[in-house]
């Protein structure tokens, strides 16, 4: 065990690409936690997707031993948190597990929306925050301006901000000293009953479920019988370790310490982030505050392009769900797309990550249907139901009213793009809540319906601001609005996978955009094809895809027979990638592309 | 009962792979070479005629076609030597058609009587356009004036003369094409091939198109209008279409090309030449090395230009029979279709007939006027599982 006064626990708050992972690598390297020959970039990001996208999805931890300049050796526990809004709850739990944060800001860029959301989480968790101005080796670095911005926008003292180049190593020692001297030591009672927070968990193919914990009070030892207070399940601790960042076994973890254990837990689903772990006997009866079950907020259908791959898809989804408790799924049947799954995600990034992993790790091509949020449908008979899929919308005559989820969106943008951003938010039914400036950057806060954001809001935002805007959001609650289900009919047949919930006032616009897009996306057939958007029985937009008029090979002689035959055989295989609706073939990419709005 | 191929007849294709320059739209097996040892090439062709002749003894030859490349770069003596060997190898019909493709330049026109004396009785000239800027854009080496001069020489030398035009060119309007086509028809002897410009991958045009630099190509609707106008004008002026891109005075259709479209047997000689030959009721696809040097080498060193044959199964044959035959205005024989594939296509034929794209007439399955311009789509539908 380590004396509490010699422990410091911290996280790093940063916007994507501001250098969080590089700084973590440098801290690990400087303290010789990992031998130089074993160093690789982004030590803490283990999944390919994490490394590739430069994002952190799972929390991770590393224990660093630092001999400080005062002659004492300190244990520094870094928790690397997910940085994305989709994982806001997970971030909040990680924040509760440490006492301080390093706020890393790129000194060539300045504060971004995501930095704000995470730093507020840190402040909410009563952290000491040490500002770090990174990338001082770059010519565009402007530390004074960025320090002033940190004080203006975030409202914390940045006069002692440490100037660092995680790339060259400059300022790393100063950072380690600041951790020791500016961050508080953890508190805790070694003699009290065990109280540990479940920070995160993941599946390891050798060890099974690995649980990361922060001990608040008491001691956990190998062999202990422990209890998860939310689920009531009891397990025996098989392995107890700290991460350096390789697992190193340890006999016990006391107050203030961070480590991992395994306990023959079968599924990640059995572990709840934020749960309190205590001993089976003589345990505490007071769980740590703030636990929330994870609730998916965005749903979409995932269907295999090749319907023969349905079983493979089920297999892939079940395997992924083993390691991701926040991802939900149930079988779905679509008249258009056949068998697939309706899946729930914490947000859009989460959706993309899961979809990418299925396509990449399991090599299954997917059709993804329009993402939808969860609507609350209030029926005339007084009952209420959740609608995850527009295809399940009940008959309107039985519906009293519908509520939709709203978010508070924070957007930071250089002021030359502000006009376009405000227009985008306005077009998406946004209500402005705040608009402030810090230097030449504006911060706009909007109350927006989540359904206007789930599909392509972020893409549009990036496009109208040439990538300079940053965006973050949090769910605020539900509100009634005039929502309707819009159906799309192709050649007079409704295509369920294209139906969507829209605001009545936006329906014509969306319907028009959809049918125009589809007209371009569906290849011409040998007959003309009406494409319509309808609400109930009423058509609100219509386009006609005219019949194919010319598709014939100009020259075809004796030497062309083989090539033409093989081409026809190949097209036969290609046709399997199209979905047939009545007599019409719709290419798979149409299901997503049709939903993208140009404004 | 005759074998299936006998309904289509038997012809010989000879590929001469060289050109003076490569046209930017052309994806044929053609090459520009500094010097060609024509005697070596002639010997190789004769070796190949002997080899194929031994495989197909007694078959009655209906046609010989010198294609390329630019066969009008061949010395007339060599054409003569080849045709002498052909006549010594197979019995021929009285009306045997012997076609040679020619570029309409003055140099080549000077060889026309030589070809006639060697036995050629039909030329097919690549005129391509009737205005000089478009000829230059198509990478052609001749002018309109030169083409007409060569064409007049050809008419003097041969009873049967065909020429090619390419339409739906960059910037071409419907009116301009109609006017050009009428002018062409006023000059035509008995046959015209009218090809819509197709941008093929791996050609200079293909590269330019992919880079977004091939502008002002007619869109699908204009191209369709041009095709329809072509059918109307040619019909009205006595040159009805007998195939998607080919028009002739009735009775002057190309015997050789009809063998392909009627899915007969044909031997292919020369680099990259394909053949279809039936032995014991099974049809084989034959091929040879594509590169001129590789072919010549193989023939000289091994005595054969043939690469391993591909045996076609019945479904392959049915596919080829339909994809070639439905190009013809006459279509395909329903008896032959059912001999190849039973009634496998019956439901699809019925559906496409309901859609007004196919029809049956005099025991033949044909595309309608509406179906022929979308033949690729008709075939995809017809041949889908």
């Amino acid at each position: 065990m380590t004396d509490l006064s010699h422990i410091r626990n911290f996280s790093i708050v940063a916007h994507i690409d501001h250098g969080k992972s590089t700084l973590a690598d440098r801290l690990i390297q400087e303290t010789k936690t990992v031998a130089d020959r074993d160093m690789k970039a982004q030590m803490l990001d283990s999944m390919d997707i994490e490394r590739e996208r430069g994002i952190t999805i799972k929390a991770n931890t590393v224990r660093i031993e630092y001999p400080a300049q005062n002659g004492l050796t300190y244990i520094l526990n870094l928790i690397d948190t997910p940085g994305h809004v989709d994982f806001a709850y997970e971030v909040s739990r990680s924040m509760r597990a440490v006492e301080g944060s390093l706020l890393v800001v790129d000194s060539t860029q300045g504060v971004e929306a995501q930095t704000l959301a995470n730093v507020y989480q840190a402040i909410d968790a009563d952290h000491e925050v040490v500002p770090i101005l990174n990338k001082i080796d770059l010519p565009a670095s402007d530390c004074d301006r960025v320090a002033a911005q940190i004080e203006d926008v975030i409202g914390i003292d940045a006069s002692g901000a440490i100037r660092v180049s995680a790339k060259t190593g400059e300022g790393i020692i100063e950072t380690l000293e600041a951790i020791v001297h500016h961050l508080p030591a953890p508190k805790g009672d070694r003699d009290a009953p065990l109280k540990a927070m479940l920070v995160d968990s993941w599946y390891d193919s050798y060890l099974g479920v690995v649980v990361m914990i922060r001990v608040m009070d008491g001691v956990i030892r190998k062999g202990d019988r422990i209890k998860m207070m939310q689920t009531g399940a009891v397990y025996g601790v098989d392995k107890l370790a700290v991460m350096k960042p390789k697992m190193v076994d340890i006999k016990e973890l006391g107050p203030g310490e961070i480590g991992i254990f395994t306990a023959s837990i079968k599924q990640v689903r059995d572990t709840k982030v934020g749960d309190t772990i205590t001993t089976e006997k003589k345990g505490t009866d007071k769980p740590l505050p703030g636990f929330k079950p994870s609730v998916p907020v965005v749903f979409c259908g995932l269907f295999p392009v090749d319907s023969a791959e349905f079983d493979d898809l089920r297999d892939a989804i079940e395997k992924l769900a083993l390691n991701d408790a926040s991802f939900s799924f149930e079988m779905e049947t679509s008249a258009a797309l056949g068998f697939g799954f309706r899946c729930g995600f914490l947000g859009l990034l989460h959706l993309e990550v899961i979809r990418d992993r299925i396509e990449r790790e399991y090599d299954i091509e997917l059709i993804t249907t329009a993402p939808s949020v969860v609507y609350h449908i209030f029926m005339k008979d007084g009952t209420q139901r959740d609608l995850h899929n527009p295809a399940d919308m009940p008959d309107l005559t039985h519906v009293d009213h519908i509520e939709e989820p709203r978010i508070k969106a924070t957007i930071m943008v250089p002021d030359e793009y502000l006009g376009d951003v405000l227009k985008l938010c306005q077009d998406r039914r946004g209500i402005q809540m705040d608009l402030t400036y810090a230097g030449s950057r504006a911060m706009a806060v909007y109350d927006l319906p989540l359904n206007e954001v789930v599909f392509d809001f972020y893409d549009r935002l990036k496009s109208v601001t040439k990538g300079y805007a940053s965006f973050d959001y949090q769910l605020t609650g539900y509100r009634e609005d005039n929502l309707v289900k819009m159906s799309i009919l192709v050649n007079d047949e409704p295509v369920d996978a294209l139906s969507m919930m829209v605001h009545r006032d936006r329906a014509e616009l969306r319907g028009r955009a959809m049918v125009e897009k589809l007209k371009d996306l569906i290849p011409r057939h040998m007959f003309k094809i009406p494409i319509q958007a309808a609400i109930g029985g009423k058509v609100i937009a219509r386009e006609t895809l005219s019949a194919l008029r010319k598709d014939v090979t100009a020259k075809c002689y004796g030497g062309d027979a083989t090539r033409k035959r093989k081409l026809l055989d190949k097209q036969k295989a290609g046709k399997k990638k199209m979905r047939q609706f009545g007599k019409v073939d719709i290419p798979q990419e149409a299901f997503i592309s049709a939903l993208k709005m140009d404004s | 009962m005759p074998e299936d191929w006998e309904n289509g007849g038997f012809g010989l294709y000879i590929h001469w792979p060289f050109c003076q320059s490569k046209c930017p739209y052309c994806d044929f097996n053609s090459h520009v070479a500094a010097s060609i040892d024509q005697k070596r090439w002639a010997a190789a062709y004769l070796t190949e005629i002997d080899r194929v002749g031994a495989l197909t003894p007694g078959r009655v030859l209906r046609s010989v076609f010198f294609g390329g490349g630019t066969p009008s770069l061949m010395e007339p003596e060599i054409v003569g030597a080849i045709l002498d060997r052909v006549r010594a190898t197979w019995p021929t019909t009285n009306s045997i058609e012997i076609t040679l493709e020619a570029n309409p330049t003055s140099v080549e026109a000077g060889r026309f009587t030589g070809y006639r004396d060697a036995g050629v009785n039909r030329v097919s000239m690549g005129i391509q356009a009737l205005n000089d800027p478009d000829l230059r854009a198509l990478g052609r080496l001749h002018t309109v004036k030169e083409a007409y001069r060569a064409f007049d020489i050809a008419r003097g030398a041969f009873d049967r003369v065909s020429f090619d035009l390419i339409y739906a060119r960059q910037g071409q309007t419907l009116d301009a094409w109609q006017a050009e086509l009428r002018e062409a028809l006023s000059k035509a002897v008995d046959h015209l091939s009218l090809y819509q410009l197709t941008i093929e991958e791996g050609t200079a045009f293909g590269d330019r198109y992919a880079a977004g630099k091939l502008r002002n190509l007619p869109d699908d609707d204009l191209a369709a209008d041009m095709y329809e106008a072509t059918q109307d004008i040619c019909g009205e002026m006595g040159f009805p279409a007998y195939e998607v891109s080919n028009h002739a005075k009735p009775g002057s259709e190309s015997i050789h090309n009809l063998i392909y479209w009627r899915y007969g047997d044909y031997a292919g000689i020369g680099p990259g030449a394909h053949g279809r030959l039936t032995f014991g009721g099974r049809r084989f696809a034959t091929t040879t090395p594509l590169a001129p040097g590789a072919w010549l080498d193989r023939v000289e060193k091994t005595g054969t230009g043939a690469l391993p044959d591909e045996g076609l199964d019945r479904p392959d044959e049915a596919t080829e029979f339909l994809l070639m035959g439905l190009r013809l205005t006459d279509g395909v024989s329903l008896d032959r279709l059912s001999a190849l594939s039973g009634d496998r296509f019956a439901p699809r034929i019925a559906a496409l007939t309901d859609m007004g794209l196919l029809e049956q007439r005099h025991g033949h399955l044909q595309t309608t006027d509406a179906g022929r311009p979308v033949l690729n789509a008709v075939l995809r539908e017809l041949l889908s599982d």
Side-chain angles (χ1 to χ4, degrees):
Chain A
M1 70 153 278
T2 310
D3 189 276
L4 283 169
S5 66
H6 290 172
I7 299 176
R8 297 292 182 274
N9 298 320
F10 69 104
S11 72
I12 304 178
V13 170
H15 186 67
I16 295 170
D17 292 338
H18 280 202
K20 179 174 81 165
S21 299
T22 317
L23 178 66
D25 288 352
R26 219 42 79 228
L27 297 176
I28 290 168
Q29 204 173 20
E30 183 65 40
T31 54
K32 310 252 184 293
T33 305
V34 172
D36 281 347
R37 63 168 189 279
D38 295 330
M39 273 306 288
K40 52 186 175 179
Q42 293 175 251
M43 280 302 297
L44 297 179
D45 290 342
S46 48
M47 267 187 267
D48 279 352
I49 289 176
E50 292 190 335
R51 267 170 219 270
E52 222 166 82
R53 294 190 171 208
I55 52 170
T56 306
I57 298 164
K58 284 282 182 191
N60 215 328
T61 184
V62 61
R63 177 174 169 126
I64 296 167
E65 283 174 30
Y66 173 58
Q69 287 169 352
N70 63 9
L72 300 170
T73 293
Y74 290 82
I75 300 288
L76 313 182
N77 290 303
L78 164 61
I79 291 188
D80 189 25
T81 66
H84 194 273
V85 55
D86 285 4
F87 309 103
Y89 171 70
E90 286 73 6
V91 177
S92 77
R93 294 307 89 192
S94 293
M95 292 293 187
R96 294 283 167 184
V98 298
E99 286 75 27
S101 287
L102 306 182
L103 166 63
V104 178
V105 181
D106 181 338
S107 65
T108 70
Q109 303 275 331
V111 175
E112 299 291 349
Q114 196 188 41
T115 325
L116 275 186
N118 287 337
V119 84
Y120 288 140
Q121 289 242 25
I123 292 167
D124 281 350
D126 293 327
H127 281 192
E128 276 303 321
V129 176
V130 175
I132 306 267
L133 302 174
N134 194 17
K135 305 198 185 180
I136 58 165
D137 56 304
L138 295 180
S141 167
D142 186 349
C143 290
D144 293 338
R145 179 182 68 82
V146 173
Q149 198 202 14
I150 291 173
E151 297 192 350
D152 275 359
V153 179
I154 303 175
I156 59 170
D157 178 14
S159 59
I162 303 168
R163 302 181 175 203
V164 169
S165 167
K167 200 170 133 196
T168 66
E170 191 177 347
I172 295 300
I173 295 290
E174 290 82 345
T175 303
L176 288 162
E177 288 293 313
I179 293 168
V180 168
H181 298 295
H182 294 329
L183 301 188
K187 297 190 184 76
D189 181 355
R190 189 176 163 79
D191 301 321
L194 175 65
K195 204 187 257 192
M197 182 176 21
L198 196 160
V199 180
D200 206 348
S201 62
W202 59 89
Y203 191 83
D204 180 289
S205 43
Y206 297 105
L207 299 170
V209 175
V210 177
V211 180
M212 189 206 297
I213 53 164
R214 154 71 198 265
V215 179
M216 299 298 181
D217 288 317
V219 179
I220 184 170
R221 296 180 181 84
K222 188 177 167 183
D224 280 355
R225 301 286 296 170
I226 50 133
K227 185 168 89 173
M228 307 268 194
M229 293 184 75
Q230 281 298 327
T231 62
V234 173
Y235 303 96
V237 175
D238 299 330
K239 180 185 181 73
L240 194 64
V242 292
M243 307 289 281
K244 286 186 158 184
K246 276 188 199 153
M247 275 180 208
V248 177
D249 284 352
I250 197 164
K251 285 199 184 84
E252 60 167 56
L253 284 172
E257 291 193 287
I258 293 169
I260 63 99
F261 72 82
T262 65
S264 306
I265 303 169
K266 298 245 164 15
Q267 297 187 40
V268 168
R269 205 162 280 278
D270 299 330
T271 62
K272 310 277 182 206
V273 170
D275 197 356
T276 304
I277 293 163
T278 190
T279 44
E280 185 189 10
K281 287 177 187 155
K282 294 187 194 161
T284 181
D285 55 0
K286 289 193 193 71
L288 296 160
F291 173 81
K292 279 198 297 190
S294 80
V295 181
V297 294
V298 178
F299 285 78
C300 76
L302 297 180
F303 293 84
V305 168
D306 179 353
S307 49
E309 291 187 326
F310 173 75
D311 286 332
D312 299 332
L313 177 61
R314 172 167 38 212
D315 202 42
I317 283 177
E318 282 173 354
K319 284 207 180 98
L320 287 173
L322 276 183
N323 196 23
D324 187 347
S326 53
F327 155 55
S328 73
F329 63 97
E330 59 185 31
M331 215 179 110
E332 180 182 5
T333 316
S334 154
L337 302 172
F339 292 113
F341 292 92
R342 190 83 191 161
C343 300
F345 306 93
L346 294 177
L348 283 179
L349 177 81
H350 189 212
L351 184 161
E352 281 177 32
V353 165
I354 297 279
R355 190 190 59 202
D356 281 5
R357 291 189 64 188
I358 293 172
E359 294 204 319
R360 197 187 307 197
E361 295 171 25
Y362 297 90
D363 198 22
I364 300 168
E365 266 191 279
L366 293 174
I367 295 174
T368 313
T369 64
S372 166
V373 300
V374 180
Y375 296 92
H376 291 168
I377 313 283
F378 294 84
M379 308 297 287
K380 286 197 172 131
D381 63 9
T383 59
Q384 189 212 320
R385 56 175 83 169
D386 285 356
L387 181 76
H388 293 171
N389 186 348
D392 301 332
M393 179 70 190
D395 189 333
L396 273 182
T397 56
H398 302 302
V399 173
D400 185 70
H401 69 279
I402 304 174
E403 289 184 355
E404 65 174 341
R406 310 275 306 191
I407 59 165
K408 178 181 154 197
T410 305
I411 298 164
M412 302 203 61
V413 62
D415 54 11
E416 68 249 51
Y417 302 113
L418 182 63
D420 293 324
V421 170
L422 299 186
K423 181 173 181 309
L424 176 66
C425 292
Q426 221 65 48
D427 289 347
R428 301 296 175 99
R429 299 193 281 134
I431 299 163
Q432 195 179 93
M433 294 166 70
D434 197 11
L435 181 61
T436 52
Y437 287 88
S440 63
R441 281 176 84 78
M443 182 174 87
V445 180
Y446 266 83
D447 171 25
L448 278 158
L450 180 61
N451 93 334
E452 298 285 348
V453 173
V454 287
F455 191 67
D456 62 344
F457 181 83
Y458 194 42
D459 287 347
R460 293 295 310 154
L461 182 69
K462 279 191 286 192
S463 130
V464 300
T465 64
K466 301 196 166 60
Y468 283 108
S470 59
F471 165 67
D472 211 329
Y473 71 85
Q474 60 197 87
L475 282 169
T476 48
Y478 274 75
R479 192 185 309 160
E480 178 182 350
D481 218 325
N482 187 6
L483 298 157
V484 291
K485 175 184 164 184
M486 182 170 79
S487 312
I488 299 292
L489 294 91
V490 174
N491 207 26
D492 301 322
E493 306 252 358
V495 179
D496 54 1
L498 288 169
S499 63
M500 64 192 302
M501 299 295 293
V502 286
H503 191 269
R504 185 64 191 82
D505 294 347
R506 295 251 297 152
E508 267 85 15
L509 193 73
R510 289 237 55 169
R512 174 125 306 283
M514 286 272 282
V515 297
E516 280 171 12
K517 274 273 167 76
L518 284 168
K519 189 185 165 194
D520 291 337
L521 290 163
I522 300 173
R524 283 188 180 191
H525 282 53
M526 287 175 287
F527 43 89
K528 69 175 191 224
I529 300 169
I531 303 169
Q532 297 158 299
I535 296 172
K538 185 173 169 250
V539 173
I540 56 167
R542 180 193 166 99
E543 284 284 334
T544 303
L545 177 61
S546 47
L548 182 69
R549 290 187 58 202
K550 186 89 175 35
D551 183 10
V552 61
T553 308
K555 291 190 181 189
C556 187
Y557 295 99
D560 302 307
T562 305
R563 194 164 49 97
K564 275 283 282 174
R565 165 169 52 84
K566 290 187 173 160
L567 182 67
L568 280 162
D569 287 344
K570 208 167 109 187
Q571 284 167 340
K572 238 188 268 182
K575 211 171 145 79
K576 288 189 183 139
K577 293 207 173 168
M578 305 256 235
R579 292 296 169 136
Q580 220 174 11
F581 298 83
K583 295 190 293 179
V584 180
D585 294 319
I586 303 183
Q588 58 179 107
E589 68 268 18
F591 292 94
I592 282 295
S593 304
L595 300 159
K596 292 203 172 152
M597 299 279 281
D598 293 325
S599 61
Chain B
M1 195 175 142
E3 286 205 65
D4 178 70
W5 67 271
E6 289 173 45
N7 295 303
F10 177 58
L12 171 67
Y13 176 77
I14 294 169
H15 191 79
W16 175 264
F18 301 108
C19 285
Q20 270 179 307
S21 67
K22 180 93 188 166
C23 298
Y25 54 86
C26 175
D27 70 333
F28 282 21
N29 183 23
S30 56
H31 303 262
V32 178
S35 69
I36 303 148
D37 182 347
Q38 295 218 2
K39 293 222 160 57
R40 258 182 88 188
W41 278 82
Y45 285 123
L46 298 183
T47 305
E48 281 289 87
I49 290 168
D50 292 347
R51 174 181 67 82
V52 177
L55 291 171
T56 53
R59 294 210 186 170
V60 181
L61 196 66
R62 289 189 194 183
S63 69
V64 180
F65 194 103
F66 291 90
T70 309
S72 53
L73 296 175
M74 293 170 87
E75 299 297 342
E77 298 72 48
I78 289 179
V79 174
I82 289 171
L83 289 175
D84 286 346
R85 186 67 65 92
V86 166
R87 280 185 287 257
T89 305
W90 292 283
T92 61
T93 57
N94 291 332
S95 57
I96 186 169
E97 174 188 276
I98 299 175
T99 307
L100 184 135
E101 287 183 332
N103 269 346
T105 68
S106 50
V107 181
E108 289 156 289
R111 289 194 276 263
F112 284 178
T113 51
Y115 295 139
R116 182 194 59 201
D117 295 344
V120 173
N121 57 21
R122 181 176 182 267
V123 287
S124 171
M125 305 183 76
I127 292 181
Q128 315 307 15
L130 297 181
N131 73 68
D132 289 340
D134 282 10
L135 283 173
R136 280 195 296 276
L138 291 171
R140 304 297 293 177
L141 299 177
H142 60 269
T143 61
V144 177
K145 208 171 148 192
E146 208 177 353
Y148 278 148
R149 212 178 297 135
F151 180 67
D152 285 339
I153 295 170
R155 285 164 50 148
F158 305 99
D159 291 340
R160 300 181 62 199
V161 180
S162 176
F163 64 91
D164 298 354
L165 291 179
I166 293 173
Y167 69 99
R169 308 190 294 256
Q170 284 174 277
Q172 195 174 35
T173 63
L174 180 60
D175 283 350
W177 167 237
Q178 287 173 314
E180 184 173 322
L181 179 58
R182 285 180 190 280
E183 186 187 335
L185 285 159
S186 73
K187 299 265 197 302
V189 179
D190 66 343
H191 192 281
L192 271 178
S193 299
L194 304 169
Y195 299 112
Q196 181 147 354
L197 178 62
T198 308
I199 308 304
E200 303 285 357
E201 266 181 64
T203 63
F205 272 5
D207 294 346
R208 258 184 261 170
Y209 183 76
K213 287 181 182 159
L214 203 62
R215 298 209 178 85
N216 295 324
L217 286 170
D219 64 19
D220 287 354
D221 284 318
L222 178 54
D225 290 343
M226 288 180 169
Y227 181 85
E228 279 172 19
T230 303
Q231 309 312 304
D232 292 347
I233 294 171
C234 289
E236 165 198 319
M237 294 183 70
F239 283 77
Y242 69 99
E243 189 260 1
V244 171
S245 303
N246 283 277
H247 300 258
K249 285 185 177 167
S252 293
E253 298 84 3
S254 163
I255 291 172
H256 186 81
N257 290 335
L258 281 173
I259 292 171
Y260 298 145
W261 296 318
R262 288 182 180 157
Y263 207 40
D265 266 12
Y266 47 96
I269 284 176
H274 288 245
R276 288 289 178 280
L277 291 174
T278 306
F279 303 109
R282 180 145 196 227
R283 204 182 301 253
F284 290 83
T286 70
T287 51
T288 58
L290 202 59
W295 176 81
L296 190 62
D297 231 41
R298 189 175 170 85
V299 175
E300 288 179 343
K301 290 196 175 131
T302 67
T304 170
L307 293 175
D309 295 339
E310 179 196 2
L312 301 177
D313 56 21
R314 283 284 180 263
D316 290 340
E317 274 196 276
T319 299
E320 293 191 344
F321 177 61
L322 285 167
L323 81 87
M324 300 305 282
L326 287 176
R327 298 182 65 83
L328 291 168
T329 309
D330 277 350
V332 298
S333 150
L334 283 162
D335 288 345
R336 280 180 71 193
L337 181 61
S338 64
L340 283 173
S341 62
D343 56 2
R344 186 182 133 212
F345 296 111
R348 300 268 175 186
I349 289 172
L352 288 160
T353 304
D354 281 349
M355 291 166 76
L357 299 168
L358 290 178
E359 62 187 353
Q360 297 182 21
R361 192 181 283 178
H362 314 305
H364 275 231
L365 177 69
Q366 307 172 345
T367 47
T368 61
D369 290 344
R372 209 166 313 118
V374 293
L375 177 60
N376 288 345
V378 170
L379 287 168
R380 282 195 293 272
E381 190 61 26
L382 190 57
L383 298 168
S384 62
D385 295 324

